[in-house]
Amino acid sequence: MQRYIGHLPFLIFFFGIWGINQFTFLYGDDFRYATYLGLEPNIYEHPITLYQIIQTQLHDYLHMNGRLIVNILTILTLQGGIELWRWMNPILVTVLAYTMFYLVFARFPQRKDLVLATLITSLFFFIQIVIFKQTLAYATGAFNYVYPMIFLFATLIYFRKQDLGEPITAKWKYALVLLSSFLAGWSQEQISSIGLLLLVIWFIKQKWLKKKIQIWDWLLFISYFIGTLFLFLAPGPWLRAQMPGLESYNQLSFLAKIKKTLPEVLHFFLYQQSIFMIFVIVLSAILCYQISKKVHFVLFICVPLIAFIFSTPLCNTGQIASFVTGNHLLTTGMGLITALSIIGLNAYISWKEDNNFYLVLALGFILINLIMIFTPSTFGGRVAFPAIPFAICLITLLWSNIQFRVFYVPIVWILVICALFNITIFFREYQLNAKIHLEREHIMTQYKGQKNTVITLPLLRNKQYAGYEIHDYSWALRAYRDYYRIDNSVKIIFPAK
C-alpha cells in the first residue's frame, strides 16, 4: 500500500469534486443541449435519435458554433439529466490532474511525490468561484473548457517525452495521443490556438537545434492542425459574429478592438487568476535567486502586490487613471508588467537550467489568456480556466526545484487547510441551492400540460454558486421552460428580493 501513497491526494481530490457535483444541477446552455440538442430550438422531437443529434449539430456548425464533437458529447451526456455528468465530471477532472502531474514529471506519482501531488490537487480549490461555477460545476462549461485540456496535455506529453529522450513507442499509446491531438485541435478556440502555437514553437526549436524530426511528430502535428481547421473554418462562428448583439464590436477597427479587450483580459488575469499569478511570480523569483544568488530577483515578488495596492481606496488611483487615459490604465500597465515578468523570469530559469519547459509553461499560462483579446468574450469566468492548469503545472515544477525544504511541508499543509475550507464553503452553498433547485423541479412538474396560468419560482439562496440563474437571460428562461414542457401561455415569475 505504501507505494500507492502518491495517489492518495488524487483520490481525495476526486471525492471533493464528486461531493460538490452531487449538488450541481443543469444551468444555462445545459438546458438548451438537453432540450433542443443544440443552441436553437430547430429540432425538438421525441424519442431522440443519434441522427437528430448529428443533424442539429450540423445546423449549429453551419450557423452558430464550430465545436461539433464537444457539443455532441455534451448532448449525449445530458440527455438523461445531470446524473451521469455528476459521476463523469469528477473522474475526468481527476484525469486532468493526473495528466498535469505526468506533463511536469513525465511519470505517474510515486510514494515520494505525496507533497507534490497534494500541491497540484489542493490548488484546484483555490480557483475563484466565478471561474469554478462555470467550469468544474457546470456541465457545458466543463465540456468546453476543462476536458479539452486533457487532450491538449496528452499531446504535449508526447513532445515533452521526446525532449527528455523517452519517446512514446508503443503503438496503442501513440494512437491515443494521435486521437488526443485531433480532439484538442477541434475542441475550443482558445485551447486549440495555444496548442497549435506551442507545437509550432517546438518544431521551430527542433529545426534551430538541428534535431531530427520524426515522421510520427509530423503526423501528430498534421492531426492537430486538421482538427484546428475543422474548428476555425466552421461557418457558424462567422455568422454568429454578425448577430445584432455583437454589431457594435464588429464595427470597431482592429486597434479599437484590442484597446477594448486587452484591459478586460488583463483584468481577469490579475484579479480572477490572482492566487496563481502570485504563486508563479514568487516561486519564479525565488528560483532565479537560488540560481544566480542575485538579490534583485527577489524584488519581483513585489510586482503582483502593486496592482492590489493601487486598487485600494486609500491610493484613490481610479480618478488619476481616468484623468490620464481612461479607467483601464493601471490594469493594462500592471497586467503587462506582470505578464512580462513571468515570461522573463522563466526564460532566465530555462536558460540557466538548460530546460525550456519552464518557459513553455509560462508562455502557456500567459498567452492562452492574451489570445482572448481577439474575441468579444473577455470578462473571465469560464474563459479564465484554461490558463490555470498551465499555472498549476508551472507552480509544481518551480516548487519541486526550490531548495528551501524547511518550509516545504508546512506551506503545503497550510494550502491543504485553505483548500478544505474552500471545499466546505462550496459544498455548503451548493447544498443550500440544491434545495431550491429541487423545489423548482417539483413546482414545474406540477404545471406540465397546464395553460394560461402563472408559476412562481423561488430564487436561489446564492446565485454566485450557480452556473447561471435561469431568469438572468431570456434564452435561459425559455430553455428552462421548454425542458419541463411548459406551455408558452404560462408565465414564470420570481419573487422580489
Side-chain angles (χ1 to χ4, degrees), residues 435-479:
K435 297 178 181 179
I436 306 299
H437 285 298
L438 292 173
E439 185 179 349
R440 287 178 175 180
E441 286 183 1
H442 178 70
I443 294 171
M444 295 297 280
T445 53
Q446 285 183 325
Y447 282 87
K448 184 177 179 180
Q450 295 190 28
K451 296 183 179 181
N452 300 313
T453 187
V454 176
I455 301 176
T456 302
L457 295 179
L459 294 169
L460 292 179
R461 181 185 182 278
N462 187 350
K463 74 173 186 176
Q464 184 72 1
Y465 291 83
Y468 287 96
E469 176 59 297
I470 56 176
H471 60 79
D472 285 346
Y473 301 95
S474 59
W475 57 263
L477 184 58
R478 179 184 180 184

Side-chain angles (χ1 to χ4, degrees), residues 263 267 317-332:
H267 183 273
T317 52
Q319 293 181 7
I320 299 174
S322 179
F323 175 77
V324 178
T325 140
N327 291 324
H328 298 307
L329 171 66
L330 289 172
T331 298
T332 304

